[in-house]
Amino acid sequence: MFLFVAVQSLQEGIRNATEVTATDRTLVVYRENRYCPATSRLPEHYAERISRIDGVTAVVPIKVVVNNCATSLDVVTFRGIPSETVSLLAPNWHMLAGSMDDWQKRSDAALVGENLASRRGFKVGQTFNSAGVSVTVAGIFRSSEAQDQNAAYVHLPFLQQVAAKAGIGIVTQFNVRVSDPTRLEEIAANIDADFRTEAEPTQTRTEKAFVAQAGSDIVEIIAFTRYLGLGCLSAVLGLVANAIVLGVQDRIKEHAVLQTLGFRSGLIARLIIAEGMLMGVLGGGLGTFLAVSMVSWGNFSISNEGQSVPISASPAMFAIGFLMSAGVGVAAGLVPAWRASRREIAHCFRAI
């Protein structure tokens, strides 16, 4: 059950990062046919033209710098934004340490997502260096957005100056907020049409669709792991069933005595099924607890091309793990219980 719950946590992280909901209002404008942050280079002045498109309420130019573009569990993602736009992101943030004011005061300050801070052990006031960028942690925040949890937000001019090959006036993407979520596709098409003839044409998608496409390798690998989870369940079912069969075989004498004392065959069958459920809940429950604890404590994220998929385990994962454990225990006990209930008393005594 430990492996099964760990796989389910991966699946849950993918759903949270890539499934578009009715309340999503954010579009990502990227360089056409580019997915790596290092190859998407858009002029910063595009922001003014995008903001004039009907339905757009806010535009945030973002420079993205990562220490590793390949798939990894430990990627530091710097996101450079204009200081005046941080208020557009702040409604989704809850400051755990430090403050926004401290971030505004220093040009090399960074606001660090909770997962990244926990994984790297960052504290407020600490200076760290990654991808050639040295920053001081001004605050640590918790966000409901998957991409914020593994990012360090810094001032855009600072990142454009210090990051190798960044370039002044060049950004990686624009995050665009729209007034009506039902018009996401229409507005995305209008943005791309406006820049179609430019030297740097754009490709606009919803934020979660962009994450799903940019991190398609991760999505495919994690989708495959569901078969691994089903295989784990089958293995648990076989092991518990084998243990119950051996247990029932060893207790033929006890079953004969119970039948002699008047215990009906149906009651004996229910006792065997209850035994299987108890074994499943105890063993599976322990595996579920260890898996959820590991995922929660580790704050793991799988990153690829600068996009992160946090591995998360919600409280519902506990319930799913316990219910699956109980279900496997009941299923494993059905056949031994049926066989024991059909065994005659005389046959039981002859088998002793």
Side-chain angles (χ1 to χ4, degrees):
M1 287 307 295
F2 177 89
L3 192 53
F4 174 78
V5 173
V7 168
Q8 292 303 308
S9 299
L10 282 171
Q11 302 286 341
E12 185 171 305
I14 280 289
R15 285 193 295 271
N16 292 337
T18 61
E19 283 189 359
V20 180
T21 65
T23 59
D24 288 340
R25 294 171 178 266
T26 303
L27 293 169
V28 172
V29 182
Y30 224 67
R31 172 65 166 82
E32 188 179 29
N33 298 325
R34 301 287 191 276
Y35 302 102
C36 178
T39 58
S40 177
R41 297 170 62 83
L42 295 172
E44 190 177 344
H45 62 75
Y46 277 14
E48 185 179 350
R49 287 173 60 181
I50 295 173
S51 64
R52 290 200 296 265
I53 292 176
D54 181 47
V56 173
T57 59
V59 181
V60 181
I62 300 177
K63 180 65 188 176
V64 178
V65 175
V66 296
N67 66 338
N68 185 358
C69 260
T71 303
S72 174
L73 286 172
D74 186 21
V75 172
V76 177
T77 304
F78 290 103
R79 291 187 159 212
I81 59 173
S83 56
E84 64 274 13
T85 62
V86 70
S87 60
L88 299 173
L89 305 172
N92 297 324
W93 294 357
H94 171 66
M95 296 301 297
L96 301 176
S99 68
M100 294 279 188
D101 291 338
D102 293 338
W103 183 77
Q104 296 281 7
K105 292 174 184 174
R106 294 188 56 145
S107 61
D108 66 340
L111 293 171
V112 182
E114 180 185 19
N115 282 8
L116 175 59
S118 176
R119 191 174 65 249
R120 288 287 186 115
F122 293 151
K123 305 293 182 186
V124 173
Q126 178 181 347
T127 298
F128 71 94
N129 185 296
S130 184
V133 180
S134 181
V135 298
T136 300
V137 179
I140 298 172
F141 66 92
R142 177 178 296 159
S143 173
S144 58
E145 298 297 327
Q147 297 310 310
D148 291 342
Q149 297 172 22
N150 197 45
Y153 281 88
V154 299
H155 296 276
L156 178 59
F158 166 77
L159 192 60
Q160 288 173 328
Q161 291 173 4
V162 300
K165 301 180 181 179
I168 301 298
I170 299 297
V171 297
T172 305
Q173 66 186 62
F174 298 92
N175 279 21
V176 178
R177 296 294 302 272
V178 303
S179 57
D180 184 357
T182 62
R183 297 183 59 198
L184 282 170
E185 293 186 3
E186 173 196 344
I187 296 172
N190 291 339
I191 293 173
D192 292 340
D194 198 34
F195 296 100
R196 182 165 297 135
T197 58
E198 297 290 340
E200 303 291 346
T202 62
Q203 187 170 13
T204 307
R205 287 152 289 185
T206 62
E207 185 177 31
K208 292 182 177 177
F210 172 75
V211 173
Q213 188 162 1
S216 57
D217 291 344
I218 299 176
V219 174
E220 290 180 6
I221 292 172
I222 293 179
F224 176 77
T225 61
R226 71 164 61 96
Y227 301 108
L228 184 61
L230 293 175
C232 293
L233 271 186
S234 301
V236 171
L237 178 63
L239 290 172
V240 175
N242 183 62
I244 295 176
V245 167
L246 293 177
V248 170
Q249 194 68 30
D250 289 340
R251 292 199 298 273
I252 289 180
K253 178 180 177 181
E254 285 83 351
H255 292 161
V257 172
L258 290 175
Q259 287 181 310
T260 303
L261 293 175
F263 282 70
R264 303 173 69 87
S265 58
L267 177 58
I268 293 175
R270 289 194 293 274
L271 287 173
I272 293 173
I273 292 174
E275 179 188 2
M277 186 173 68
L278 183 62
M279 289 177 62
V281 168
L282 290 177
L286 178 61
T288 299
F289 174 77
L290 292 176
V292 172
S293 299
M294 181 198 70
V295 170
S296 301
W297 174 77
N299 290 310
F300 301 110
S301 292
I302 299 180
S303 299
N304 178 258
E305 305 286 9
Q307 306 303 317
S308 298
V309 176
I311 303 173
S312 57
S314 65
M317 196 60 68
F318 267 117
I320 293 173
F322 277 99
L323 288 175
M324 292 298 293
S325 301
V328 167
V330 170
L334 286 176
V335 172
W338 177 73
R339 294 180 59 186
S341 66
R342 294 177 60 84
R343 191 174 290 134
E344 299 293 337
I345 298 178
H347 175 78
C348 292
F349 280 116
R350 281 199 298 271
I352 296 173

